[in-house]
Amino acid sequence: MSEQRTPCRESIELRCARCGEVVSCDGHGFSSIIAELVADDGLGFAALISALLLSGWEINISQLVVDSNPRVILFGTPVNAYGRPRLDKRDVTGIWERRPGGWVAGNRMTGHQAIGGGLFTPATANELAKLVIASPASWVRIPR
């Protein structure tokens, strides 16, 4: 008999901590504005945060309001087994803002740079996700 495996998901699934309802899927009326951001594949938020989690990077998420617009800022830093930044890699930053027409990516403010400073290179969140997946921490992959 062949082993059945759960299909690999392309993004994360958010559940309400109070009731357990999935809030990141279509058809639930988006009870949270962050669920809209997760559900919009074109914005790359779910792809980037999934890549950061799967690659063992340090993650910092800030949620704030700027000029009456909700904003989400996601920082990712590659770290070694001791939790220190890997100086041979690049930090990633993604910024998204919810405007009256919906979520938009902060294109000029989303990108990567050398750890500790240096030239900031703009990139889409989906491009950043590929950069992150290409540099996983040494301990994140386990044999099946």
Side-chain angles (χ1 to χ4, degrees):
M1 193 142 112
S2 67
E3 178 185 5
Q4 291 226 331
R5 292 188 183 166
T6 304
C8 184
R9 295 184 182 164
E10 292 183 21
S11 64
I12 60 174
E13 180 178 89
L14 298 179
R15 292 186 177 271
C16 174
R18 183 174 37 90
C19 69
E21 179 181 352
V22 175
V23 296
S24 60
C25 297
D26 293 335
H28 289 285
F30 297 122
S31 60
S32 168
I33 62 168
I34 196 72
E36 291 178 333
L37 181 58
V38 170
D40 189 333
D41 291 337
L43 293 172
F45 176 82
L48 181 54
I49 196 156
S50 295
L52 290 165
L53 289 167
L54 292 170
S55 297
W57 285 37
E58 183 177 285
I59 301 169
N60 182 340
I61 300 175
S62 298
Q63 298 183 65
L64 55 138
V65 176
V66 177
D67 296 328
S68 300
N69 295 315
R71 183 179 287 182
V72 174
I73 305 171
L74 174 60
F75 297 103
T77 302
V79 293
N80 64 22
Y82 305 104
R84 293 190 180 92
R86 292 168 54 195
L87 300 177
D88 61 327
K89 302 295 179 187
R90 302 178 71 78
D91 283 325
V92 297
T93 304
I95 299 178
W96 298 266
E97 188 171 280
R98 188 161 196 297
R99 305 258 173 96
W103 283 97
V104 295
N107 293 333
R108 292 183 312 225
M109 300 174 287
T110 296
H112 55 88
Q113 70 180 29
I115 292 176
L119 180 65
F120 181 82
T121 305
T124 68
N126 287 317
E127 291 169 339
L128 294 177
K130 290 176 185 173
L131 181 128
V132 168
I133 286 292
S135 297
S138 61
W139 67 90
V140 298
R141 306 234 193 253
I142 57 173
R144 289 186 189 211

